[in-house]
Amino acid sequence: MKYLRGFGIILCLSAAGEILRRFIPLPVPGSIYGLALLFVLLRLKLVKLDEVKAPSGFLIEIMPVMFIPAAVGLMDRVDEVSGFIVPIMVIVVVSTFVVLVVSGLSSQAVIRRRRDE
Amino acid sequence: MNEIFASSALLGTVLSLLCYYIGAKIKTRAKTAIANPLLISVILVIVFLSLFRIDYASYQASAKYISWFLTPATVALAVPLYEQLERLRRNLAAVVIGVGMGTFSGILTIFLLSKLFGLEKAEFVTLLPKSVTTAIGIAVSEELGGYPSLTAAAIVITGILGNVCAEGACRVFRITEPVAKGLAIGTASHAIGTSKAMEIGKTEGAMSSLALVLSGIITVAGASIITNIY
């Protein structure tokens, strides 16, 4: 019974998240509401960490595999983007690195300044 | 072969998992950032499909069930987040500033480069939500009049880029604090990057999950404003 209860809880909250999404008019996926719900339930000790730890560890470990179908789908989109492939690639690559470096260095500066104080 | 795949509920999943396993094995042997399991597995699947002349649609029909687990897996990210709650509290200022500045700099970069390339508004809106998780990004793109399928492509490329390059980029720019690393990866490359952060460490993974949620919310709020200006 290491997985049954915990996996059940995670699935219930996923479903709850999808239902919430129907009532809240924001472009936010149900999974984010589910994540918030599980976090709150853990905080309130209504769900115990031990119950969900094993199944969540399993799901997170196999998570990269879940992205493979979408990534392989890029092979069908090549024609669609051929017209503006250069700007797309430049913008995607540059902005990804800018975000990575800006958010990494700014948060690191905050952490180090507080440590020095 | 095409029909076998199209009528199977498992073959595509098995193929994906197997290719990922091979990718993970290569990674432990090679130990370079380019030997990224996700990248290797995507290439292997594409090679396999082309070799046996299987359509993407047939593969997708038998691989979609593994993607269906994405929602519960995202919900499961609450667990490492909760386990790292103390650390999160201690670093609240770093989280807010890091994710805020990162998201803002991303929107600004896309804005400036789109102007530079002379992109139309619809094309700009398509690329705008490229750093957030797919479901949020597609919704934003749709709502503001972009091309959602292209947005999805840009999001996936961003994620793989983050997954492959994040460790190297952190090294080059001397981002060594685990908290800062996680925030950077999650803000820049959403869930695909977060799956990498989880491999690096618990703190990195938890911070990345948090950044993924926060940057998504900021983008939803900021996108409509910046689109009016463009």
Side-chain angles (χ1 to χ4, degrees), chain A residues 103 107, chain B residues 94-95 98-99 178-188 207-208 210-211:
Chain A
S103 89
S107 53
Chain B
V95 172
V99 177
V179 171
K181 255 193 204 171
L183 291 175
I185 297 173
T187 309
M207 291 300 148
S208 189
L210 182 66

Side-chain angles (χ1 to χ4, degrees), chain A residues 16-82:
Chain A
E18 288 190 339
I19 293 168
L20 270 180
R21 198 183 71 104
R22 289 181 170 268
F23 291 102
I24 306 174
L26 287 173
V28 172
S31 59
I32 300 292
Y33 293 127
L35 193 164
L37 281 175
L38 178 55
F39 186 80
V40 169
L41 291 177
L42 281 165
R43 278 288 285 150
L44 297 175
K45 312 266 183 218
L46 290 172
V47 170
K48 290 194 191 73
L49 185 58
D50 285 345
E51 288 174 335
V52 286
K53 201 169 160 101
S56 72
F58 169 72
L59 285 169
I60 291 169
E61 187 181 320
I62 63 164
M63 199 172 178
V65 181
M66 303 169 195
F67 298 116
I68 296 175
V72 171
L74 291 180
M75 77 184 214
D76 259 19
R77 298 244 166 84
V78 175
D79 298 337
E80 240 176 281
V81 293
S82 57

